[in-house]
Amino acid sequence: MSSSRSSVLDATAPVVLVTGGGRRLGAEFCRAFSAAGWRVVIHCCHSLGDAQALAEELGGRERAQVISSDFLTCVPEEVMERAASCFGRLDGLVNNASSYHRRGLLEVASQEWEEDFRLNFQVPFALMRAFARRGAPGAILNLLDGRWEKEDPSCAAYLLAKKTLAEATGLCAFAWGKLGIRVNGLAPGLVRPPEGVPLAAMEPLLANLPLSRRVTEGELARAALLLMETPSLTGVILPVDGGMHLHGMPIKEKENPQ
C-alpha cells in the first residue's frame, strides 16, 4: 500500500476500542481489525510495553494508539472519552478485558467476587452505556464464555458475571437498535490454558468435545469481525467453541464443586 493511499484510508477508516488488547486474544483482535481496515485503540493495564509494540506493528499512531488504565480503579466513562479522542471518532467497542478466579460458591473471597463482577460485567456495561450516550451509530461486541447458558459452580463469580453480561447484550441490542447501535456477544470455548501451562494440558478436555479440537485465536478474530461488520446482526451470541455449548464443559476439574 502506498503512503498516499494509506493516509486516505486512515482519514476515513472506522475506529474500534479493544479492551485488554495488548496481548493474547485481545492482540489478535487488534491485528484482525487493523487488517480489515479499522483503526485501533488498544486498551491495556499491565501490558503497556506489549501494547506499544503492537501499535507499532500495526502501523504506528496513524493506525493504532494505546491507552492505559486499571479497570479496578478507573472511571470507565473517562476511558471512553480518551478512546474517542485518539482519532476523533469511535465506531466500535470490543469488551475483551476480563478477570478469572476458579473458586466455588463457598470458596470465592469477597475481593475476588468484587473483582470478577467489576471486570466481567460492571465495567463492560459502563463502557457500553458511555458508547451509546455518544449519540453515534456503531457496534459493540462482548466477550462471553462458552458456558454462559450452562452451570459450572467451580468458577462462580466469573460465570455469574458473564451470564449477566450476556443478558445485558440482548437487552441493550433491543433498546439501542433505533439509535443505530448493534450489540452482539462472542462465546469462546477452549482456546488455551493459563500462561505457563502447555497446550498439551488441554488434550483430556478436547478429546470430549464434539470436534475434539481447540478454538484458535484466529477463528475467534474472524468471528468478531463478522459480528462487528454485518449490519443486520444484533442481539446475537455466537458460540465458537468446538461444540462445547451442546453439553457444557466436557470434563469437570473438580468433583461436586461447592
Side-chain angles (χ1 to χ4, degrees), residues 43-46 67-75 79 82:
H43 161 268
C44 66
C45 180
H46 302 298
I67 59 173
S68 178
S69 63
D70 186 346
F71 279 156
L72 289 176
T73 57
C74 74
V75 178
V79 175
R82 290 171 58 198

PDB file of all heavy atoms in Angstrom, residues 43-46 67-75 79 82:
ATOM      1  N   HIS A  43      -6.515  -0.735  24.448  1.00  0.00           N
ATOM      2  CA  HIS A  43      -6.509  -0.504  25.897  1.00  0.00           C
ATOM      3  C   HIS A  43      -5.682  -1.588  26.565  1.00  0.00           C
ATOM      4  O   HIS A  43      -5.729  -2.771  26.177  1.00  0.00           O
ATOM      5  CB  HIS A  43      -7.924  -0.541  26.470  1.00  0.00           C
ATOM      6  CG  HIS A  43      -7.929  -0.772  27.959  1.00  0.00           C
ATOM      7  ND1 HIS A  43      -8.016  -2.044  28.509  1.00  0.00           N
ATOM      8  CD2 HIS A  43      -7.794   0.078  29.002  1.00  0.00           C
ATOM      9  CE1 HIS A  43      -7.958  -1.951  29.825  1.00  0.00           C
ATOM     10  NE2 HIS A  43      -7.823  -0.678  30.149  1.00  0.00           N
ATOM     11  N   CYS A  44      -4.917  -1.196  27.587  1.00  0.00           N
ATOM     12  CA  CYS A  44      -4.158  -2.170  28.358  1.00  0.00           C
ATOM     13  C   CYS A  44      -4.079  -1.698  29.801  1.00  0.00           C
ATOM     14  O   CYS A  44      -4.400  -0.550  30.125  1.00  0.00           O
ATOM     15  CB  CYS A  44      -2.750  -2.344  27.787  1.00  0.00           C
ATOM     16  SG  CYS A  44      -1.721  -0.871  27.939  1.00  0.00           S
ATOM     17  N   CYS A  45      -3.641  -2.609  30.656  1.00  0.00           N
ATOM     18  CA  CYS A  45      -3.424  -2.272  32.063  1.00  0.00           C
ATOM     19  C   CYS A  45      -1.987  -2.590  32.449  1.00  0.00           C
ATOM     20  O   CYS A  45      -1.177  -1.698  32.660  1.00  0.00           O
ATOM     21  CB  CYS A  45      -4.418  -3.014  32.957  1.00  0.00           C
ATOM     22  SG  CYS A  45      -4.228  -2.644  34.724  1.00  0.00           S
ATOM     23  N   HIS A  46      -1.653  -3.880  32.512  1.00  0.00           N
ATOM     24  CA  HIS A  46      -0.321  -4.309  32.944  1.00  0.00           C
ATOM     25  C   HIS A  46       0.602  -4.652  31.773  1.00  0.00           C
ATOM     26  O   HIS A  46       1.715  -5.104  32.004  1.00  0.00           O
ATOM     27  CB  HIS A  46      -0.441  -5.526  33.867  1.00  0.00           C
ATOM     28  CG  HIS A  46      -1.290  -5.281  35.070  1.00  0.00           C
ATOM     29  ND1 HIS A  46      -0.985  -4.345  36.029  1.00  0.00           N
ATOM     30  CD2 HIS A  46      -2.472  -5.845  35.464  1.00  0.00           C
ATOM     31  CE1 HIS A  46      -1.917  -4.341  36.976  1.00  0.00           C
ATOM     32  NE2 HIS A  46      -2.831  -5.234  36.646  1.00  0.00           N
ATOM     33  N   ILE A  67      -4.067   3.334  25.046  1.00  0.00           N
ATOM     34  CA  ILE A  67      -4.467   3.992  26.291  1.00  0.00           C
ATOM     35  C   ILE A  67      -4.332   2.970  27.408  1.00  0.00           C
ATOM     36  O   ILE A  67      -4.640   1.793  27.232  1.00  0.00           O
ATOM     37  CB  ILE A  67      -5.904   4.555  26.234  1.00  0.00           C
ATOM     38  CG1 ILE A  67      -6.925   3.453  25.944  1.00  0.00           C
ATOM     39  CG2 ILE A  67      -6.010   5.666  25.198  1.00  0.00           C
ATOM     40  CD1 ILE A  67      -8.367   3.937  26.048  1.00  0.00           C
ATOM     41  N   SER A  68      -3.847   3.417  28.552  1.00  0.00           N
ATOM     42  CA  SER A  68      -3.608   2.522  29.678  1.00  0.00           C
ATOM     43  C   SER A  68      -4.447   2.956  30.875  1.00  0.00           C
ATOM     44  O   SER A  68      -4.489   4.150  31.209  1.00  0.00           O
ATOM     45  CB  SER A  68      -2.122   2.538  30.054  1.00  0.00           C
ATOM     46  OG  SER A  68      -1.878   1.719  31.180  1.00  0.00           O
ATOM     47  N   SER A  69      -5.131   2.005  31.502  1.00  0.00           N
ATOM     48  CA  SER A  69      -5.906   2.298  32.706  1.00  0.00           C
ATOM     49  C   SER A  69      -6.202   1.002  33.433  1.00  0.00           C
ATOM     50  O   SER A  69      -6.278  -0.067  32.811  1.00  0.00           O
ATOM     51  CB  SER A  69      -7.213   3.015  32.367  1.00  0.00           C
ATOM     52  OG  SER A  69      -8.041   2.188  31.574  1.00  0.00           O
ATOM     53  N   ASP A  70      -6.375   1.103  34.728  1.00  0.00           N
ATOM     54  CA  ASP A  70      -6.714  -0.046  35.560  1.00  0.00           C
ATOM     55  C   ASP A  70      -8.216  -0.038  35.790  1.00  0.00           C
ATOM     56  O   ASP A  70      -8.745   0.846  36.476  1.00  0.00           O
ATOM     57  CB  ASP A  70      -5.965   0.046  36.895  1.00  0.00           C
ATOM     58  CG  ASP A  70      -6.162  -1.192  37.763  1.00  0.00           C
ATOM     59  OD1 ASP A  70      -7.077  -1.991  37.466  1.00  0.00           O
ATOM     60  OD2 ASP A  70      -5.418  -1.349  38.751  1.00  0.00           O
ATOM     61  N   PHE A  71      -8.916  -1.007  35.221  1.00  0.00           N
ATOM     62  CA  PHE A  71     -10.371  -1.036  35.333  1.00  0.00           C
ATOM     63  C   PHE A  71     -10.860  -1.285  36.756  1.00  0.00           C
ATOM     64  O   PHE A  71     -12.046  -1.117  37.033  1.00  0.00           O
ATOM     65  CB  PHE A  71     -10.951  -2.103  34.396  1.00  0.00           C
ATOM     66  CG  PHE A  71     -11.074  -1.642  32.965  1.00  0.00           C
ATOM     67  CD1 PHE A  71     -11.100  -2.570  31.928  1.00  0.00           C
ATOM     68  CD2 PHE A  71     -11.182  -0.309  32.643  1.00  0.00           C
ATOM     69  CE1 PHE A  71     -11.227  -2.164  30.613  1.00  0.00           C
ATOM     70  CE2 PHE A  71     -11.308   0.118  31.325  1.00  0.00           C
ATOM     71  CZ  PHE A  71     -11.326  -0.815  30.309  1.00  0.00           C
ATOM     72  N   LEU A  72      -9.968  -1.682  37.649  1.00  0.00           N
ATOM     73  CA  LEU A  72     -10.386  -1.864  39.041  1.00  0.00           C
ATOM     74  C   LEU A  72     -10.531  -0.533  39.762  1.00  0.00           C
ATOM     75  O   LEU A  72     -11.208  -0.449  40.785  1.00  0.00           O
ATOM     76  CB  LEU A  72      -9.383  -2.746  39.789  1.00  0.00           C
ATOM     77  CG  LEU A  72      -9.367  -4.223  39.400  1.00  0.00           C
ATOM     78  CD1 LEU A  72      -8.267  -4.955  40.154  1.00  0.00           C
ATOM     79  CD2 LEU A  72     -10.726  -4.872  39.675  1.00  0.00           C
ATOM     80  N   THR A  73      -9.906   0.509  39.241  1.00  0.00           N
ATOM     81  CA  THR A  73      -9.923   1.799  39.941  1.00  0.00           C
ATOM     82  C   THR A  73     -10.377   2.967  39.073  1.00  0.00           C
ATOM     83  O   THR A  73     -10.725   4.023  39.609  1.00  0.00           O
ATOM     84  CB  THR A  73      -8.520   2.122  40.495  1.00  0.00           C
ATOM     85  OG1 THR A  73      -7.573   2.128  39.409  1.00  0.00           O
ATOM     86  CG2 THR A  73      -8.087   1.077  41.518  1.00  0.00           C
ATOM     87  N   CYS A  74     -10.382   2.825  37.762  1.00  0.00           N
ATOM     88  CA  CYS A  74     -10.651   3.959  36.882  1.00  0.00           C
ATOM     89  C   CYS A  74     -12.152   4.234  36.769  1.00  0.00           C
ATOM     90  O   CYS A  74     -12.991   3.456  37.231  1.00  0.00           O
ATOM     91  CB  CYS A  74     -10.073   3.698  35.493  1.00  0.00           C
ATOM     92  SG  CYS A  74     -11.032   2.497  34.537  1.00  0.00           S
ATOM     93  N   VAL A  75     -12.476   5.353  36.131  1.00  0.00           N
ATOM     94  CA  VAL A  75     -13.856   5.686  35.770  1.00  0.00           C
ATOM     95  C   VAL A  75     -14.054   5.281  34.311  1.00  0.00           C
ATOM     96  O   VAL A  75     -13.431   5.875  33.416  1.00  0.00           O
ATOM     97  CB  VAL A  75     -14.127   7.194  35.949  1.00  0.00           C
ATOM     98  CG1 VAL A  75     -15.553   7.532  35.515  1.00  0.00           C
ATOM     99  CG2 VAL A  75     -13.884   7.615  37.395  1.00  0.00           C
ATOM    100  N   VAL A  79     -12.426   6.564  30.355  1.00  0.00           N
ATOM    101  CA  VAL A  79     -11.705   5.733  29.392  1.00  0.00           C
ATOM    102  C   VAL A  79     -12.344   5.866  28.011  1.00  0.00           C
ATOM    103  O   VAL A  79     -11.649   5.977  26.990  1.00  0.00           O
ATOM    104  CB  VAL A  79     -11.689   4.263  29.840  1.00  0.00           C
ATOM    105  CG1 VAL A  79     -11.054   3.372  28.782  1.00  0.00           C
ATOM    106  CG2 VAL A  79     -10.954   4.111  31.168  1.00  0.00           C
ATOM    107  N   ARG A  82     -11.302   9.150  26.444  1.00  0.00           N
ATOM    108  CA  ARG A  82      -9.922   9.097  25.955  1.00  0.00           C
ATOM    109  C   ARG A  82      -9.833   8.313  24.655  1.00  0.00           C
ATOM    110  O   ARG A  82      -9.128   8.703  23.728  1.00  0.00           O
ATOM    111  CB  ARG A  82      -9.019   8.471  27.013  1.00  0.00           C
ATOM    112  CG  ARG A  82      -8.781   9.326  28.235  1.00  0.00           C
ATOM    113  CD  ARG A  82      -8.057   8.536  29.308  1.00  0.00           C
ATOM    114  NE  ARG A  82      -6.777   8.022  28.829  1.00  0.00           N
ATOM    115  CZ  ARG A  82      -6.105   7.035  29.423  1.00  0.00           C
ATOM    116  NH1 ARG A  82      -6.612   6.443  30.504  1.00  0.00           N
ATOM    117  NH2 ARG A  82      -4.950   6.639  28.947  1.00  0.00           N
TER     118      ARG A  82
END
